[in-house]
Amino acid sequence: MNIYRFSLPALALLGLALSPAAHAQSYQFTSFDGPVQTTAGATLVATTVNGISNSGVVVGFTSDNNGVFTNFSGTPGTPGALTALNLSGTANANAINTSRQVVGANGTQAFTLNSISPTNSPLPLPPVNGTTTSEAAFGINDN
């Protein structure tokens, strides 16, 4: 009878050798500035991305030196492709799907925005129950 002893590092190397080849993923990161409301003396302070769809469309908000928030959506790196959304300054656009449906929160009410357009208004989502005082939507799938 043969007895084989392996150390833990040797077993780990054996596992790697027997596993299927790993496929390296490559990612591209794009730096960009979101849109700012055109108020006198406003300068961009920050751009925040809250969500990204499978097709690379992002949703998020910018803030300026006056404390004004502007929600936006679009494809970073494409000139003129970022659109300010028709949301109040207290709203947050949190997620987007491939069909460009946006969800988020407007004060204490969760909402959906059915397409990206500066003229479309958010539609309130039905309340979860009668006792919840604040609701927000943080994700939306493609189905």
Side-chain angles (χ1 to χ4, degrees):
M1 170 189 261
N2 294 328
I3 298 175
Y4 298 99
R5 294 185 182 168
F6 295 99
S7 68
L8 190 56
L11 287 175
L13 286 174
L14 180 63
L16 285 174
L18 296 177
S19 68
H23 297 283
Q25 297 267 341
S26 65
Y27 300 96
Q28 179 180 347
F29 294 91
T30 303
S31 295
F32 67 96
D33 291 332
V36 177
Q37 294 291 342
T38 55
T39 56
T43 57
L44 180 68
V45 174
T47 298
T48 302
V49 173
N50 290 336
I52 184 168
S53 73
N54 289 336
S55 57
V57 178
V58 299
V59 66
F61 66 92
T62 60
S63 57
D64 69 19
N65 59 325
N66 297 320
V68 176
F69 292 93
T70 302
N71 286 273
F72 69 89
S73 184
T75 306
T78 304
L82 296 175
T83 302
L85 300 175
N86 186 23
L87 298 173
S88 73
T90 61
N92 276 328
N94 293 326
I96 187 167
N97 67 9
T98 304
S99 299
R100 295 183 174 226
Q101 293 173 297
V102 174
V103 296
N106 191 359
T108 60
Q109 178 72 51
F111 71 84
T112 181
L113 191 61
N114 286 325
S115 68
I116 299 170
S117 168
T119 59
N120 284 359
S121 295
L123 302 171
L125 292 172
V128 175
N129 57 43
T131 60
T132 302
T133 59
S134 182
E135 298 175 346
F138 287 96
I140 183 168
N141 64 23
D142 288 330
N143 296 325

